[in-house]
Amino acid sequence: VLVTHANVAALLRATRDTFHFTGEDVWAWFHSFAFDFSVWEIWGALVHGGRLVVVPFDVSRSPRDLLRLLARERVTVLNQTPSAFHQLDTADSADPRTGERLRLRLVIFGGEALDTARLAAWYDRHAPDAPRLVNMYGITETTVHVTHVTLTADAVGRTAHGSPIGRPVPGVRAYVLDARMRPLPPGAAGELYVGGSGVALGYLGRPALTAGRFLADPFGRPGDRMYRTGDLARWNAAGELEYLGRSDD
C-alpha cells in the first residue's frame, strides 16, 4: 500500500490535540514494524518529542512481563489489539501491586473489533479516566486510524450489536452508503467508505485493484478520492459509528 509521508503527518497533526500528546509521554512500541499500528507507535512518540520504549519480542508474548515493563518504564501511551489487552488485563488482575504502579494515561485499541463487555473487570479495578480507554478504527489504506471514541465504564456492553468506533478524526470523512452509493440514515447498515487526508495513493503495481477500491469521492471536492473498505457499519442516534463486520463474511 502506497502510504505517503503526508498521510502520516496529517494523522499525527489531526490527533495531537485530541489526545494531548506531549514530550512528556512515554510510548510502548509493542507491534511488529510489518503492522501499520507500529507507524503510529513509532512516529507518535518521536514527532511529539516523547520517549519510545521498544518492547522485546519475548516480553510482548508474556502479559506478566509486559505489565512489569509498563510499570518500570512509566509508559503513558499503550496501543493494543483487544485480544492482547485482555491478556494484559488478566495479568493486571493477578498482580495488583504492579498494576497500582502503572502510569498509563491512554490505552488505544485497534486492529480488531472490540467487545466492550470484556472491559468491565478492568473498570472495576481502575479509575474510569486513569487510563482513558479509546477505541480506534482504521486500515492501512487510510493510514492506520480513521475514527475514535473514548470509552466509559457506564457504556460497557451497551452496544447490542457491533463495536463502537466513534467519529472520524479531523481531516477524515466517513460515509455509510448503500449499494447505489447513497448515504444511509442512522440505524441503517451499509458499507463504510473513507475520504480525506488519510487516503493512500493505492496498491503498488496493482492498478486494477487500486481502481476498484480507491474511487472518486462524490461528496468531496473535485479530484478527491475515497476508499471502499468492505466493512459494514451504521451511524447511531448519537452521530457515532458502530462497526458491524465485513461485507464479505
Side-chain angles (χ1 to χ4, degrees):
V1 180
L2 297 169
V3 177
T4 68
H5 290 181
N7 290 141
V8 176
L11 171 66
L12 296 173
R13 282 195 304 268
T15 53
R16 177 182 56 204
D17 293 338
T18 301
F19 298 120
H20 308 293
F21 295 134
T22 73
E24 299 299 314
D25 278 315
V26 180
W27 293 60
W29 179 7
F30 180 85
H31 297 92
S32 164
F33 63 81
F35 185 17
D36 66 352
F37 226 161
S38 68
V39 174
W40 167 256
E41 291 175 314
I42 296 167
W43 294 107
L46 300 183
V47 164
H48 298 107
R51 182 161 65 93
L52 181 63
V53 175
V54 180
V55 178
F57 178 79
D58 58 334
V59 174
S60 73
R61 294 300 181 266
S62 169
R64 182 179 63 178
D65 291 342
L66 175 62
L67 182 71
R68 292 172 178 172
L69 178 145
L70 297 175
R72 182 176 67 251
E73 298 291 344
R74 303 175 70 86
V75 169
T76 62
V77 181
L78 176 66
N79 298 274
Q80 293 273 272
T81 61
S83 57
F85 181 77
H86 295 322
Q87 296 178 58
L88 181 65
D89 183 17
T90 299
D92 175 76
S93 176
D95 187 0
R97 293 185 63 181
T98 300
E100 290 171 359
R101 293 168 45 218
L102 293 174
R103 292 296 179 266
L104 292 170
R105 70 174 190 86
L106 279 172
V107 175
I108 297 172
F109 300 118
E112 299 171 358
L114 174 68
D115 178 2
T116 60
R118 298 190 66 185
L119 300 176
W122 174 271
Y123 278 120
D124 286 343
R125 299 192 311 276
H126 295 272
D129 58 350
R132 173 183 168 195
L133 304 187
V134 177
N135 193 32
M136 299 190 79
Y137 163 85
I139 38 186
T140 303
E141 291 87 345
T142 54
T143 315
V144 190
H145 293 310
V146 170
T147 68
H148 67 99
V149 61
T150 295
L151 306 169
T152 65
D154 291 341
V156 163
R158 287 191 180 178
T159 304
H161 303 287
S163 175
I165 57 175
R167 295 183 171 91
V169 300
V172 173
R173 301 184 298 275
Y175 314 117
V176 178
L177 307 179
D178 66 13
R180 298 175 63 182
M181 306 284 284
R182 297 175 301 187
L184 289 166
E191 188 167 356
L192 182 60
Y193 292 73
V194 177
S197 58
V199 178
L201 296 179
Y203 298 107
L204 178 63
R206 305 186 71 180
L209 183 59
T210 296
R213 306 300 290 191
F214 292 85
L215 312 174
D217 184 349
F219 311 103
R221 298 168 300 183
D224 283 354
R225 297 176 309 132
M226 63 181 184
Y227 180 72
R228 181 180 184 179
T229 69
D231 290 329
L232 296 176
R234 67 183 171 204
W235 295 102
N236 63 23
E240 296 184 342
L241 285 164
E242 297 174 354
Y243 173 80
L244 303 175
R246 292 288 299 168
S247 61
D248 51 8
D249 282 349

